[in-house]
């Protein structure tokens, strides 16, 4: 049997991350560890600093203080460095990491897709970055992934700008996961969609996350999304962490006053 997630090796070690845009804006002194195969949900109201933190974690924005250490789980030690200090390596290597080993799902598919090129090219692009060149294989993989995210593979040559918002988000997820990323960041992956579309997407996402055993840092203000996807939650308020714990514990028995408010405002219509 697989080990419980919290007993598995640490993949991401986040120490004292601060990124401020002025007093009380951004995020401050954030510490946590993400274990391999774990889904960590970062929750909190709009403006609590979730997206800021995620941008720092994904290597997109340097922190004012603190470190992000990425520990690869690698069998052939020596072939790759086992630990990377994200902001000690250069920007080119950070970008390469995001392109080749990690994945990022944006809230708005516009930020994660190229709207003018075909769905197949959107999926194939990241595989090509990893060195795959065989056209037939890229196309077949594209179709397989479209099926996987419940898109009609017959639309592989259509550009995502002709897709609905829900379809675009599915395509963004396929594009992100096709490379089998070791670490995935998601910022409000079901945000901005109709409630019924959200529910289906969430269901699909949960199946994929479980099937692939993904390691995910998931940002969401939606506690229902957090409940369905996350093993553990970190609750943020005004840039700081107020409470961390197992998802059920936090949602069923919140200790901090702020978390209690957050949970009750969702439960009472
Ligand atoms: N690029 C930026 N420039 C200035 N202020 C920012 C910037 N990004 C975020 N903020 C501010 O930092 C705070 C946290 O924002 P954000 O991380 O987007 O929160 P969340 O994702 O939880 O809604 C907000 O007060 C926001 O206005
Ligand atoms: Mg945000």
């Amino acid at each position: 049997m697989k080990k419980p997630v919290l007993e598995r090796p640490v993949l991401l070690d986040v120490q004292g991350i601060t990124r401020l845009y002025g007093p009380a804006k951004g995020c401050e002194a954030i510490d946590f560890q993400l274990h391999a195969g774990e889904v960590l949900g970062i929750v909190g109201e709009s403006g609590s600093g979730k997206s800021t933190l995620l941008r720092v974690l994904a290597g997109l924005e340097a922190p004012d203080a603190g470190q992000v250490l990425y520990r690869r789980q690698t069998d052939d030690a020596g072939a790759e460095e086992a630990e990377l200090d994200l902001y000690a390596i250069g920007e080119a290597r950070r970008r390469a990491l995001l392109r080749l080993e990690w994945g990022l799902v944006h809230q708005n598919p516009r930020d994660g897709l190229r709207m003018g090129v075909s769905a197949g090219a959107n999926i194939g692009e990241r595989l090509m970055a990893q060195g795959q060149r065989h056209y037939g294989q890229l196309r077949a993989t594209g179709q397989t992934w479209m099926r996987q995210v419940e898109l009609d593979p017959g639309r592989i040559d259509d550009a995502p700008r002709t897709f609905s918002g829900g379809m675009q988000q599915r395509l963004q997820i396929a594009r992100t996961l096709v490379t089998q990323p070791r670490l995935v960041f998601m910022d409000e992956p079901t945000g901005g969609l109709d409630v019924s579309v959200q529910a289906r997407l969430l269901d699909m996402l949960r199946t994929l996350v479980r099937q692939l055993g993904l390691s995910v840092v998931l940002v969401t203000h939606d506690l229902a999304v957090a409940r369905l996807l996350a093993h553990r939650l970190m609750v943020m308020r005004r840039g700081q962490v107020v409470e961390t714990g197992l998802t059920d514990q936090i949602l069923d028995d919140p200790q901090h006053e702020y978390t209690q408010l957050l949970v009750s405002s969702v439960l009472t219509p």
Side-chain angles (χ1 to χ4, degrees):
M1 219 181 86
K2 273 193 172 173
K3 276 190 181 172
V5 282
L6 295 181
E7 290 172 24
R8 292 188 213 155
V10 169
L11 193 59
L12 205 61
D13 190 356
V14 177
Q15 303 176 356
I17 287 296
T18 296
R19 173 72 176 108
L20 294 176
Y21 304 106
K25 282 191 169 176
C27 65
E28 194 168 10
I30 309 287
D31 294 300
F32 73 88
Q33 295 185 322
L34 178 82
H35 298 257
E38 183 184 10
V39 181
L40 176 72
I42 301 177
V43 299
E45 288 171 299
S46 169
S48 55
K50 307 180 298 295
S51 296
T52 301
L53 176 61
L54 200 76
R55 285 196 302 275
V56 173
L57 299 179
L60 299 174
E61 196 169 302
D64 298 315
Q67 282 191 317
V68 180
L69 303 174
Y70 168 49
R71 298 199 192 136
R72 289 168 161 147
Q73 312 299 313
T74 163
D75 296 334
D76 53 338
E80 291 179 302
E81 286 166 77
E83 181 174 284
L84 292 178
D85 177 342
L86 193 59
Y87 290 96
I89 61 175
E91 190 183 344
R93 286 189 67 197
R94 264 198 306 282
R95 281 172 189 262
L97 211 52
L98 194 53
R99 196 168 59 239
L100 302 174
E101 287 187 36
W102 293 357
L104 174 61
V105 176
H106 300 262
Q107 170 168 1
N108 190 337
R110 255 166 221 295
D111 298 325
L113 290 175
R114 293 209 290 136
M115 289 309 209
V117 306
S118 70
N122 268 284
I123 299 176
E125 210 168 43
R126 269 170 59 86
L127 288 171
M128 287 173 73
Q130 282 188 333
Q132 298 197 34
R133 288 285 180 273
H134 190 286
Y135 178 77
Q137 263 169 25
L138 287 168
R139 200 172 165 83
T141 307
Q143 280 166 333
T144 302
W145 267 92
M146 287 183 77
R147 269 187 220 102
Q148 185 94 276
V149 296
E150 295 166 21
L151 286 174
D152 174 7
R155 297 203 58 182
I156 191 164
D157 295 318
D158 296 350
R161 62 176 152 67
T162 67
F163 290 3
S164 71
M167 290 165 67
Q168 289 174 354
Q169 197 54 305
R170 284 160 192 280
L171 183 64
Q172 192 193 181
I173 289 164
R175 172 184 161 95
T176 304
L177 299 185
V178 68
T179 53
Q180 299 181 282
R182 295 181 188 181
L183 176 55
V184 183
F185 301 99
M186 300 185 185
D187 195 352
E188 311 275 3
T190 61
L193 298 171
D194 292 346
V195 175
S196 62
V197 177
Q198 268 185 35
R200 263 188 70 205
L201 184 67
L202 193 56
D203 206 40
M204 183 211 85
L205 208 48
R206 183 162 75 149
T207 306
L208 280 174
V209 165
R210 296 287 185 264
Q211 265 176 7
L212 303 172
L214 296 177
S215 308
V216 183
V217 180
L218 164 77
V219 159
T220 179
H221 72 280
D222 186 336
L223 296 184
V225 172
R227 161 115 50 202
L228 268 178
L229 293 178
H231 296 104
R232 215 156 44 103
L233 296 185
M234 195 164 92
V235 184
M236 286 184 69
R237 179 201 195 189
R238 294 191 200 138
Q240 296 181 325
V241 174
V242 298
E243 192 168 352
T244 306
L246 295 174
T247 302
D248 291 345
Q249 235 166 48
I250 296 273
L251 296 182
D252 297 337
D253 186 21
Q255 299 300 304
H256 193 282
E257 201 184 334
Y258 174 72
T259 316
Q260 290 167 359
L261 277 172
L262 206 64
V263 170
S264 65
S265 64
V266 162
L267 296 181
T268 45

